Amino acid sequence: MITNSNYLETDGMIEHLKNVPYDVARRSLYDAHDLYEGYVPSADPSADKQSFDQCFDSRVYHHFIATGKHASSVNESLARALHDHGMHTALDTFFTHHDNRLCIGIMGGHALPRSNPMFVQIALLSKRLTEQGFCMLSGGGPGAMEATHLGAWLAGRTHEEAQEAISELSQAADTFKDAAWLSSALSVMRRYPQSRYVSLGIPTWLYGHEPSTPFATHIAKFFENSIREDSILTFAFGGIIYAPGSAGTMQEIFQDAVQNHYLSFGFSSPMVFLGQRFWTEDMPVYPLLQQLMAAGKYKNLLLTLTDEPAEIEQVLMQFRDKR
């Protein structure tokens, strides 16, 4: 019989599971309405921030910080594990309706401004790939991730409408640190409503200071970032596009390379690097991967380096059609 309460806190466990600000029994993915329940946009920055701080997503994040990024109690660890298990169950359900062989991931920097040409390029590329039948996937945050889901949301719209939407967003709030970042996104969603196309965002409360993009129609938000990172790379069976990024993107590149090297899922998926100068000079990962392949340290990598969205589309469609 275990009696050490520091090892197993059975007292109050059920009560704790009932009282956390999230549903430990949830078995469905989130969407913008779920995460931002209680948020009422306001032109007054102070009132807007106060409302954001009281919405569901913020309440969970505040609880996450208060109880420790690494939970200090068994009860809280159990609550988070049950929630994240539910997210996995929900993802399994999602992929019974959506072919993960058509799932394309886009990785890149969370700080990418909406006014940056790369943001526009990612959004328009994602729009085009969605229209070609792909399901777009990202880490579900701001920057390059937001551009991914914005493009998917605008699929079926004209090029002019997409440009207008991006311009509206950048003028209202250029980065996620600007007060109107969320309200401007919700405004664009109301202006350009859609229910035909889906995209999947997989964010984490570990980076809860980075708000989740509401443009993702389906959101699997996790407490454990390691599970979240693995899920992003695992489910993008159709290939991954790497836009310029920093430490997080580097981690994803080499984690993806390992999966492809060992053919962890029976095949290798394309690794497409968007931005020749960045990936060969600023962050020379691409020539490193080529050297490692030539030396036999990596095998099975399907590498592409380009500045051309049309070439990316061609590479991904050829891979899809071969399978």
Side-chain angles (χ1 to χ4, degrees):
M1 179 177 180
I2 298 173
T3 58
N4 186 344
S5 61
N6 289 325
Y7 181 76
L8 183 62
E9 302 170 34
T10 56
D11 292 341
M13 180 178 290
I14 300 302
E15 198 64 25
H16 184 86
L17 296 180
K18 289 180 179 178
N19 290 329
V20 294
Y22 51 91
D23 183 2
V24 300
R26 186 181 180 96
R27 295 295 182 271
S28 60
L29 299 177
Y30 295 104
D31 61 15
H33 175 78
D34 297 322
L35 285 184
Y36 295 117
E37 180 183 6
Y39 170 68
V40 180
S42 173
D44 178 356
S46 178
D48 190 83
K49 182 180 185 304
Q50 183 178 13
S51 181
F52 176 78
D53 286 341
Q54 295 172 350
C55 75
F56 169 78
D57 191 55
S58 294
R59 294 198 308 273
V60 176
Y61 178 59
H62 296 327
H63 174 83
F64 174 71
I65 296 300
T67 53
K69 291 184 177 182
H70 298 287
S72 57
S73 77
V74 172
N75 290 349
E76 180 62 23
S77 292
L78 176 61
R80 295 179 188 180
L82 288 171
H83 172 275
D84 284 2
H85 173 74
M87 286 295 100
H88 267 299
T89 300
L91 283 170
D92 289 341
T93 301
F94 177 86
F95 284 111
T96 63
H97 302 287
H98 303 280
D99 188 349
N100 56 11
R101 294 175 299 179
L102 300 178
C103 197
I104 302 294
I106 296 185
M107 310 302 177
H110 69 275
L112 183 68
R114 289 165 164 175
S115 60
N116 191 291
M118 181 59 70
F119 184 99
V120 179
Q121 191 172 42
I122 293 170
L124 296 178
L125 173 61
S126 180
K127 175 181 182 294
R128 179 61 180 163
L129 290 172
T130 302
E131 291 166 347
Q132 292 296 325
F134 291 104
C135 176
M136 304 308 296
L137 163 68
S138 88
M145 296 172 282
E146 181 190 35
T148 300
H149 298 287
L150 171 62
W153 183 270
L154 294 171
R157 297 280 180 179
T158 66
H159 179 79
E160 289 72 24
E161 286 175 314
Q163 292 282 11
E164 288 174 5
I166 296 170
S167 177
E168 179 180 330
L169 289 170
S170 63
Q171 290 177 24
D174 203 25
T175 76
F176 73 93
K177 295 182 179 180
D178 295 326
W181 183 86
L182 177 58
S183 61
S184 60
L186 295 174
S187 175
V188 165
M189 291 172 69
R190 290 192 297 270
R191 182 177 176 186
Y192 300 101
Q194 71 91 18
S195 58
R196 177 179 175 184
Y197 299 99
V198 303
S199 67
L200 176 62
I202 309 183
T204 173
W205 277 291
L206 180 65
Y207 302 138
H209 61 287
E210 300 173 11
S212 302
T213 174
F215 290 112
T217 60
H218 295 73
I219 302 170
K221 193 155 190 175
F222 286 91
F223 288 104
E224 286 293 335
N225 185 51
S226 58
I227 298 174
R228 169 250 190 177
E229 287 280 2
D230 185 70
S231 296
I232 296 171
L233 298 172
T234 296
F235 291 128
F237 279 12
I240 296 179
I241 302 164
Y242 291 100
S246 55
T249 307
M250 298 304 106
Q251 174 186 332
E252 290 156 352
I253 289 170
F254 288 101
Q255 190 172 340
D256 186 29
V258 169
Q259 289 185 355
N260 287 322
H261 171 80
Y262 287 112
L263 303 178
S264 299
F265 303 99
F267 59 91
S268 177
S269 298
M271 299 176 67
V272 182
F273 293 81
L274 174 60
Q276 293 196 47
R277 177 175 177 177
F278 182 86
W279 292 117
T280 59
E281 298 180 24
D282 299 341
M283 194 76 72
V285 173
Y286 194 83
L288 173 61
L289 289 174
Q290 288 182 310
Q291 291 170 18
L292 291 172
M293 284 188 67
K297 303 300 183 181
Y298 274 127
K299 296 184 293 184
N300 306 314
L301 303 190
L302 305 177
L303 303 176
T304 299
L305 173 66
T306 184
D307 289 317
E308 300 300 327
E311 183 178 355
I312 294 175
E313 183 180 343
Q314 181 181 28
V315 167
L316 296 175
M317 290 183 67
Q318 286 177 345
F319 178 75
R320 177 194 66 184
D321 295 342
K322 283 197 305 183
R323 299 183 61 220

